[in-house]
Amino acid sequence: SFSLASEHLSDGRDSFLVRGEFDSVPALDVPSMAQGKVTCVTMDDEHNRIWSGHATGEVTCWDAKTLKFVHMWQAHRGGSVTAILVTIYGDVWTGSSRGSLRKWV
C-alpha cells in the first residue's frame, strides 16, 4: 500500500510525497511537463538543474533547489532521448534511440 501527502511547490503546483511499503525513504514526485515517460535523467550540480529526457524526444529542465519548471524543447524527433550529459561549461548533449548525438548551445 502507498500513502500520499500533498505538498505545494514554489510555483503553486502540487507535488506529492510518496511512501510505499517497499520504499526505504520518502520520494518527492515532481509533475512532468512532457507527454512521454522519462527515459533518462541527470543532475547539473554546477548550475543547480535537473534534466530529464523523454520517450517523446523532449528534454525538460527543472531548478534543482525549488523544483520549478525552467524549460522544455523537442530535442529528437522519431525517437526517445536515451542520454543527457551536461558539461562543467554548461553544454548540454543528448543522445537518441535512433543513434543521433546532439550538442545544444
Side-chain angles (χ1 to χ4, degrees):
S1 72
F2 291 93
S3 64
L4 296 175
S6 179
E7 293 189 2
H8 292 286
L9 298 176
S10 61
D11 63 359
R13 291 177 295 122
D14 284 330
S15 181
F16 296 96
L17 185 63
V18 181
R19 293 180 192 264
E21 59 188 43
F22 300 111
D23 293 341
S24 59
V25 293
L28 188 62
D29 187 21
V30 180
S32 179
M33 304 299 275
Q35 297 298 315
K37 67 179 181 174
V38 173
T39 54
C40 60
V41 65
T42 192
M43 177 71 184
D44 175 9
D45 291 324
E46 186 72 25
H47 302 97
N48 291 313
R49 296 288 187 248
I50 300 169
W51 298 86
S52 60
H54 301 270
T56 55
E58 296 168 305
V59 170
T60 307
C61 181
W62 305 88
D63 183 285
K65 290 185 178 180
T66 64
L67 298 180
K68 183 177 179 181
F69 171 77
V70 176
H71 62 273
M72 179 174 64
W73 78 94
Q74 186 71 44
H76 298 273
R77 297 201 185 278
S80 61
V81 178
T82 56
I84 301 174
L85 170 77
V86 182
T87 69
I88 61 170
Y89 305 108
D91 298 326
V92 178
W93 291 76
T94 60
S96 82
S97 60
R98 297 187 66 184
S100 63
L101 179 66
R102 294 186 175 159
K103 177 185 175 185
W104 303 90
V105 286

